Amino acid sequence: MLRQVLTRIEQADALDGASDKLQAAVSSAVRPRTLRDALHGSWMGHPLHPVLVQVPVGAFLSAAILDLLPSRSRSSAPTVLIGVGVAGVLPAAVAGWVDWSEMTKDRRRIGLVHAATNLVATGLYAGSLIARLTGHSTQGRALAFAGLSVAGAGAFLGGHLSYAQGGGISHAAPEVARVPEEWTVAGSLASLPEGKPAARRVGDTAVLLFRQGDEVSALVDRCSHEGGPLSEGEVSDGCVVCPWHGSTFRISDGAVIHGPAGNDQPVLPVRVRDGMVEVRRP
Ligand code: FES
C-alpha cells in the first residue's frame, strides 16, 4: 500500500505544472551562487538540509515526550520546545527548497508532497503554540500530537527521496568500494596529458587522472551530484567543473567548491612506479 502511494506520487505528472513554477520561483529568489552553495552545504562537504532538520525534529519529539508525563510533572518546557521547533523549520525549509530546485522531475514530485506535508505539520505546531500560550493546554497537546503524526509522514517521504530516489546522496561514494584494494595500474604516465583530465579505468571503476609534471591526482570520475563524467569537464584554478550541472571540485582533495553537489568527490591514493600510474582504494 505504501509502495503504491509512493509510486503514484512519483508518476503524478499533474504536479509538474506547480513544480516547474515553484522551481523557477526558488531559482530566482535564491540567485547568488555563494548563497546557493551555502544552503547546499558545499562549504562542509555534506548536504545542509538534513543537519538543520534535526532542530525541529528533536524539539518536537522532546515536547511530545514531556506532554506524555503526568500533568503534575509538566512545565512550560514543551511550549518552549515547540517554539524552538517552529522557529527551526524556516532555515531547514529554505535549504531543502534550494536542494529541491535542482532535482529531477520524479524527485521533485515526491519533494513537493514532502514539503506540503511538513507545511501542514508546521501549521499544526504553530496552532499548538498559540493554544498553549493562551492557556488552552489540552488543545495545544492535541494539535502537537496531530503535528507529530503529519511530520512523521513528511519524514517518511523525505527518507524515500534521499535513500530510494537518491536525492542528496553521493553518487560517487559507491564507486570507491569497487576500486581494487591493492595497487592497480591505471595507465602509463606518458599517456596522460599535462594539465588536462583523463579518463581511465581501475577494475570496474572509471577514474579521473590529472597530471602536473610527475605528480598525478586521482578522483572517482562519477560526479557525486548525479553521476556526470567529471573527466569531460573543464579544469581551471586546480578545480574540475562537472559538464552536467556545473558542480566544481578541487582536484587535490575532492572538496566541493560550488554546488549543486553537496558532497565532496572521493579522491583515490595514487603512485607512479616504473612510469606506470597505480591507484588503489583508500
Ligand atoms: S552530475 Fe550534476 S553537477 Fe555533476
Side-chain angles (χ1 to χ4, degrees), residues 102 171 221-230 241-249 258-261 265:
E102 305 199 50
H171 290 259
D221 194 28
R222 187 175 159 82
C223 175
S224 69
H225 177 233
E226 292 282 0
L230 288 183
V241 181
C242 178
W244 282 11
H245 311 107
S247 290
T248 305
F249 303 95
H258 295 301
Q265 190 67 15

Side-chain angles (χ1 to χ4, degrees), residues 20-262:
D20 290 347
K21 284 191 184 118
L22 270 168
Q23 185 188 34
V26 172
S27 299
S28 67
V30 189
R31 202 179 278 281
R33 197 173 195 191
T34 46
L35 179 57
R36 296 185 76 81
D37 286 342
L39 292 167
H40 281 309
S42 307
W43 53 277
M44 63 174 173
H46 185 290
L48 181 61
H49 175 64
V51 177
L52 295 177
V53 159
Q54 304 311 311
V55 175
V57 168
F60 291 154
L61 268 178
S62 303
I65 292 166
L66 293 178
D67 273 345
L68 289 171
L69 293 175
S71 57
R72 270 177 294 131
S73 313
R74 280 192 209 121
S75 64
S76 59
T79 306
V80 173
L81 284 166
I82 287 174
V84 168
V86 170
V89 165
L90 184 63
V94 171
W97 278 114
V98 172
D99 287 346
W100 173 88
S101 70
E102 305 199 50
M103 287 183 176
T104 51
K105 261 193 189 344
D106 57 329
R107 291 181 187 141
R108 276 194 281 125
R109 290 170 189 156
I110 292 282
L112 206 55
V113 181
H114 165 70
T117 309
N118 285 338
L119 187 63
V120 172
T122 305
L124 289 165
Y125 271 112
S128 168
L129 186 61
I130 291 167
R132 287 164 198 260
L133 291 174
T134 53
H136 302 92
S137 56
T138 303
Q139 289 97 320
R141 285 198 300 281
L143 285 166
F145 282 118
L148 190 64
S149 307
V150 178
F156 174 75
L157 289 165
H160 180 77
L161 177 57
S162 296
Y163 301 116
Q165 292 189 300
I169 64 160
S170 168
H171 290 259
E175 298 294 307
V176 176
R178 299 166 61 210
V179 175
E181 277 182 277
E182 63 280 3
W183 288 108
T184 304
V185 172
S188 68
L189 182 65
S191 71
L192 296 179
E194 175 74 24
K196 287 191 179 149
R200 296 288 185 273
R201 292 201 80 78
V202 179
D204 291 335
T205 308
V207 296
L208 175 159
L209 297 180
F210 183 76
R211 177 184 179 186
Q212 282 184 302
D214 288 340
E215 298 291 317
V216 181
S217 302
L219 283 80
V220 169
D221 194 28
R222 187 175 159 82
C223 175
S224 69
H225 177 233
E226 292 282 0
L230 288 183
S231 56
E232 294 176 19
E234 297 288 322
V235 169
S236 103
D237 293 333
C239 296
V240 62
V241 181
C242 178
W244 282 11
H245 311 107
S247 290
T248 305
F249 303 95
R250 193 158 53 213
I251 292 173
S252 59
D253 61 1
V256 56
I257 304 300
H258 295 301

